[in-house]
Amino acid sequence: MQSAPAATSSSAAYGARVPRQQLWVEEPATRRRMPDPVRVSAVRAVLIMSLTIIQAMVAFLCTLAGSWLAFPMVLSGVGSTVVATWSVLDVWITRQVWNQRNGVVSVPSSSARQLRRERRRARRAARAAQRDEARIRRRGAENLSRA
């Protein structure tokens, strides 16, 4: 009597080493990191906005419950909305100031430089053509007076 062939299951490969994936895989950043002052103001804006949203929710719930705290919460909610708006504008202003002070990274192969270079070449070629044309006219006028 023959024995049954060994089953090919996962238990058969139990002793074999299986390559494992790394737990943490570094991926290249898609964008550069924000400058520190801009990041600080963005974090501040997010915190202020979240507190404003929480405050608005509390004011709404106090209003539904008919609590005496509803009116002061609504008034402070209006004030914190103004502060939250300013904090968002602060992020934008800080970013603009940082760009003006530190400049935008300019790459030599940028399209703006290339366009300026092409325009400069075209102007030079046009001026050279005008000079050549004027030179030809002068020579022609000199030859006519001699004849």
Side-chain angles (χ1 to χ4, degrees), residues 20-29:
R20 300 181 105 184
Q21 288 184 347
Q22 290 180 340
L23 183 61
W24 185 266
V25 179
E26 287 284 334
E27 294 181 2

Side-chain angles (χ1 to χ4, degrees), residues 9-22:
S9 65
S10 61
S11 62
Y14 179 73
R17 293 258 179 200
V18 178
R20 300 181 105 184
Q21 288 184 347
Q22 290 180 340

Side-chain angles (χ1 to χ4, degrees), residues 79-126:
S80 63
T81 302
V82 171
V83 172
T85 304
W86 171 251
S87 69
V88 172
L89 284 174
D90 182 48
V91 174
W92 182 67
I93 291 168
T94 306
R95 186 170 160 260
Q96 296 297 326
V97 167
W98 193 89
N99 281 340
Q100 281 183 351
R101 286 185 182 161
N102 299 307
V104 179
V105 177
S106 180
V107 180
S109 62
S110 71
S111 58
R113 280 194 184 177
Q114 188 175 2
L115 287 173
R116 281 198 306 261
R117 207 174 287 136
E118 289 173 4
R119 280 192 228 121
R120 216 177 295 132
R121 284 181 188 147
R123 281 195 305 258
R124 286 180 188 157

Side-chain angles (χ1 to χ4, degrees), residues 42-56 80-81 83-89 91:
V43 168
R44 185 173 44 236
V46 166
L47 289 175
I48 290 172
M49 286 183 60
S50 63
L51 289 175
T52 302
I53 291 171
I54 291 170
Q55 191 175 12
S80 63
T81 302
V83 172
T85 304
W86 171 251
S87 69
V88 172
L89 284 174
V91 174

